[in-house]
Amino acid sequence: KEKNALFNFMCNPFCCTVKDIPAEYQLEVIDLQCSSELKVSFKEINILTFFRNLCPNKFGNIKDLSLQLFSMFGSTYLC
């Protein structure tokens, strides 16, 4: 269930339920979801670029997690 919640978060971080995300990511998810600037950015660029461009000082855990999850798929994501 936890991995499913994380994959749902990666697909659309603005539509996930915070309580389903592991505790170590919840505060960053709340900050991310409250940012109208990041919502616009998410709509304008691809998912991988969005997570890669997150500020590591503010969203370091989410950024690391997203890059780990995306790396599981390697070139499949680019097809």
Side-chain angles (χ1 to χ4, degrees):
K1 182 178 178 181
E2 184 177 294
K3 287 194 190 259
N4 191 26
L6 290 174
F7 282 117
N8 288 336
F9 169 74
M10 292 301 130
C11 290
N12 190 340
F14 299 98
C15 290
C16 72
T17 305
V18 176
K19 68 178 182 161
D20 293 338
I21 303 294
E24 65 263 29
Y25 305 109
Q26 288 182 357
L27 291 177
E28 290 183 15
V29 171
I30 291 168
D31 287 343
L32 182 97
Q33 290 180 342
C34 290
S35 172
S36 57
E37 181 180 306
L38 290 176
K39 283 182 187 178
V40 170
S41 177
F42 181 76
K43 292 177 183 178
E44 293 177 349
I45 59 178
N46 71 54
I47 294 171
L48 187 57
T49 303
F50 173 79
F51 283 105
R52 193 181 304 146
N53 290 342
L54 287 176
C55 174
N57 294 332
K58 191 168 184 179
F59 301 108
N61 290 331
I62 290 175
K63 185 173 182 170
D64 291 344
L65 172 68
S66 65
L67 296 177
Q68 285 177 348
L69 290 175
F70 285 127
S71 70
M72 291 171 52
F73 299 102
S75 63
T76 305
Y77 176 75
L78 300 174
C79 294

